[in-house]
Amino acid sequence: MAVTHIPIKGVEERARERVATGEAAAAFIAGGIGCFIIGLLTTAAVISEPLKNALNWWNPAGPLTGKTGVGVIAFFISWAIGHVLWNDRDVDLRRTFIITMILLALGFVLTFPPVFEYFE
C-alpha cells in the first residue's frame, strides 16, 4: 500500500516567505494621486471658469461630478500603471506610505474652503 506524503508548511516557514509589496504600493500611491487630483481640480475650478464649466457633468451636482470623476479615473489609471511597473517587486512601503500621506494632505488642503476661496 502506497502512502503519499503531503508537505504541510509550518507557520514559521510561511512567515519567512517574502511577499512582493509592489501591488500594495501601487494601490497606496494611486489613492494618493486620486485624492490630490480632486483637491487640485477643486482649487483650479475656482480659478478657471471654463474648467469649472467643463467639470459640470451633471447639472444638479455641478462641477463636483467632474472633479470626483476625474479623480477616480486618475486613481484607476495610476493604479494600473503602478501595478504593471511594480508587479512582483519589493517596494519600500515606508517611502510609499510617506508619499501617499503627502499626496493625501495636499489633496485635503486644496479642498479646504479657506484655501480655494483665497484664489477667488
Side-chain angles (χ1 to χ4, degrees):
M1 178 166 148
V3 177
T4 305
H5 178 69
I6 300 173
I8 299 174
K9 292 183 178 180
V11 174
E12 290 181 17
E13 187 177 336
R14 282 186 282 168
R16 277 187 244 135
E17 292 179 359
R18 302 250 342 142
V19 176
T21 57
E23 293 91 353
F28 288 162
I29 295 288
I33 289 172
C35 290
F36 176 71
I37 294 295
I38 290 172
L40 185 66
L41 289 177
T42 300
T43 300
V46 170
I47 296 170
S48 170
E49 192 68 25
L51 178 63
K52 181 179 178 180
N53 293 333
L55 293 171
N56 188 5
W57 295 356
W58 187 51
N59 280 334
L64 180 62
T65 53
K67 296 170 193 172
T68 54
V70 172
V72 169
I73 291 168
F75 165 77
F76 281 116
I77 290 172
S78 59
W79 189 16
I81 292 170
H83 184 80
V84 169
L85 292 176
W86 293 340
N87 191 19
D88 292 331
R89 288 190 178 180
D90 267 340
V91 177
D92 183 5
L93 284 181
R94 182 173 183 267
R95 187 171 57 180
T96 303
F97 182 74
I98 291 170
I99 292 169
T100 301
M101 288 297 117
I102 290 170
L103 289 170
L104 286 174
L106 288 172
F108 176 75
V109 166
L110 290 172
T111 58
F112 198 55
V115 173
F116 67 75
E117 287 173 355
Y118 177 78
F119 296 101
E120 284 184 319

